[in-house]
Amino acid sequence: MGDDRRLAAVVALAQGMAAAHSAREAWRAAAVGGCLALGGNFAALSVWERELGRLRVLVNVGRRAEDEEEFPEDESYPVHQFAEITEFLHERWAGGGEPDAWVETARGPAAGRPGYVHQRVAALRRRGRGCCVVAPIVLHGRAWGELYVARPVGERVFERGDADFATVLASVVAAGIAQTERLEEVRRLAYTDALTGLANRRAVDAALDEAVERHREEDVVVSLVVCDLNGLKRVNDTHGHAVGDRLLERFGSVLSLCGAMLPGALAARLGGDEFCLLAVGPPADAVVKAAEELCRRAAELELGDGVACGVASTEDPVGPVRSARRLFRLADAAQYRAKAERAAGPVVAGREGPDDPVVRLADEPSRAEDGERRRFRGRHSP
């Protein structure tokens, strides 16, 4: 491959990773770009999981063998089969050297310094591959994983020049992965409450809009639990805000634990002492059961005075739920009643007959002017 074509391949690889919207897309773009750039018919991207001592395959592209999935759940290899990444290369880096790719064939090593490892050679033979080039990926000065590109039996064997080019490609992949990790972290922080680690209001807004849309189109059950942590102001005034923050963190852990009773539920802190659980799919009774457990556990916390909890579900007789705003209003009204009555358990909208007081409160036009109501001032406000 000429210099111009190689430059174009590097640019295409970088652009492909830059266009990715998720880590998976970035992994696949790296493997596809490496495969095309090196003229292979198969490529894989793997990460070194240090705590488990294994090299785990993230993605396989191209002509896959029967035992290879595109995004495998559990394909991994003992890292000692790739000791060059964990030992040999570290020795070289410590001395100021740079990581280099190497070539292996179905008969053994061809170009580069790594030696014969029978498991790797056997894998080439078993999968009908004549040779491969392995390029270490270095991120933040540490071995991150490897880019692996193979050719079938009968095609030209990779040479030293191919290995050198693979080293360049690996550095481009490393830059792309670093960028993806930065974007993922930004996205995570944008949708995460910094104190509790739960989802934040922005995440709830987005998830609830999507959930109600699914309810309208597919009649999926959508349920919302809204909680108000009692006694936070007293804790702050008596013990200080650091202790109050610990109470919020502890309750956040309890909320997360109870949310785990509902597959796929989103646990969130809306702000201040207000929290919620969003469940899409589970029946309303299961959500109420989780809310009951939440109230019980909150009452057992050393600090605070338990929690006021309201539940609203599209499965209960609350009338049509055509917007996220209405489901929020229903759950909020149920929580408001639980607070006013000092209820030990959750109040559930729609379960007190045709003239349910919670539903009536949620749908009162004058409720927007109620000076006591302070939550949901954002785009879900009435």
Side-chain angles (χ1 to χ4, degrees):
M1 182 185 292
D3 290 343
D4 290 343
R5 291 181 61 189
R6 285 189 167 177
L7 178 60
V10 169
V11 172
L13 172 59
Q15 290 176 336
M17 295 193 71
H21 293 95
S22 67
R24 271 196 168 196
E25 288 184 15
W27 300 339
R28 190 177 190 282
V32 169
C35 193
L36 292 173
L38 287 162
N41 77 329
F42 171 84
L45 186 72
S46 304
V47 63
W48 176 17
E49 295 184 328
R50 285 173 167 79
E51 70 279 12
L52 299 176
R54 67 181 184 179
L55 203 64
R56 180 169 65 88
V57 178
L58 300 173
V59 62
N60 293 308
V61 302
R63 188 174 298 172
R64 305 194 303 271
E66 291 184 1
D67 61 340
E68 292 172 326
E69 300 176 0
E70 182 175 20
F71 292 103
E73 292 293 326
D74 57 3
E75 183 183 353
S76 62
Y77 303 92
V79 78
H80 67 73
Q81 293 182 14
F82 295 84
E84 299 84 3
I85 292 177
T86 61
E87 298 170 4
F88 173 73
L89 288 173
H90 273 293
E91 293 293 329
R92 292 189 57 200
W93 298 341
E98 294 295 329
D100 290 326
W102 69 89
V103 174
E104 292 180 345
T105 74
R107 296 181 179 181
R113 295 175 59 181
Y116 182 93
V117 178
H118 72 88
Q119 295 98 331
R120 300 191 321 218
V121 172
L124 282 172
R125 294 171 180 168
R126 184 174 68 253
R127 290 165 174 160
R129 292 166 188 152
C131 64
C132 68
V133 59
V134 184
I137 296 170
V138 181
L139 197 61
H140 310 309
R142 303 178 68 190
W144 182 90
E146 66 167 36
L147 174 66
Y148 174 104
V149 179
R151 287 176 178 166
V153 172
E155 289 198 10
R156 182 180 67 82
V157 172
F158 287 117
E159 299 172 349
R160 179 68 258 175
D162 298 309
D164 292 340
F165 184 43
T167 299
V168 175
L169 294 174
S171 67
V172 176
V173 170
I177 291 171
Q179 176 67 11
T180 299
E181 289 184 351
R182 285 193 292 270
L183 292 175
E184 290 286 322
E185 180 65 7
V186 169
R187 293 189 188 104
R188 187 189 69 79
L189 292 174
Y191 290 93
T192 302
D193 176 65
L195 177 64
T196 63
L198 300 177
N200 63 12
R201 176 59 186 269
R202 184 182 291 109
V204 174
D205 284 344
L208 186 57
D209 282 341
E210 182 179 334
V212 171
E213 183 69 21
R214 285 189 60 195
H215 168 69
R216 289 199 301 261
E217 295 179 356
E218 307 168 27
D219 201 29
V220 173
V221 177
V222 180
S223 304
L224 189 66
V225 180
V226 172
C227 317
D228 193 45
L229 187 59
N230 295 327
L232 178 63
K233 183 178 186 303
R234 177 183 58 78
V235 171
N236 284 334
D237 291 345
T238 305
H239 302 285
H241 286 272
V243 176
D245 284 350
R246 286 202 296 274
L247 174 59
L248 290 168
E249 290 179 279
R250 290 189 64 189
F251 179 72
S253 297
V254 170
L255 183 69
S256 179
L257 180 67
C258 294
M261 298 170 61
L262 305 167
L266 180 70
R269 181 186 178 205
L270 299 173
D273 56 4
E274 295 174 340
F275 294 77
C276 78
L277 274 177
L278 171 62
V280 182
D285 285 346
V287 177
V288 173
K289 184 178 179 181
E292 291 171 343
E293 179 68 8
L294 177 64
C295 291
R296 185 186 69 79
R297 289 178 177 270
E300 294 176 351
L301 291 175
E302 182 180 353
L303 297 171
D305 299 315
V307 65
C309 186
V311 182
S313 175
T314 59
E315 194 176 46
D316 283 323
V318 296
V321 176
R322 298 189 178 92
S323 69
R325 181 179 70 179
R326 185 160 191 271
L327 194 64
F328 251 130
R329 286 166 61 95
L330 286 162
D332 182 39
Q335 184 275 327
Y336 182 52
R337 188 175 186 199
K339 189 95 167 178
E341 296 181 354
R342 299 180 180 273
V347 170
V348 185
R351 295 199 172 185
E352 294 190 31
D355 194 31
D356 185 279
V358 170
V359 176
R360 191 172 66 249
L361 175 63
D363 292 337
E364 278 181 2
S366 62
R367 184 164 171 264
E369 300 173 2
D370 186 348
E372 293 184 36
R373 308 310 297 138
R374 66 191 186 285
R375 69 191 90 245
F376 310 133
R377 301 191 192 97
R379 59 194 182 90
H380 291 305
S381 296

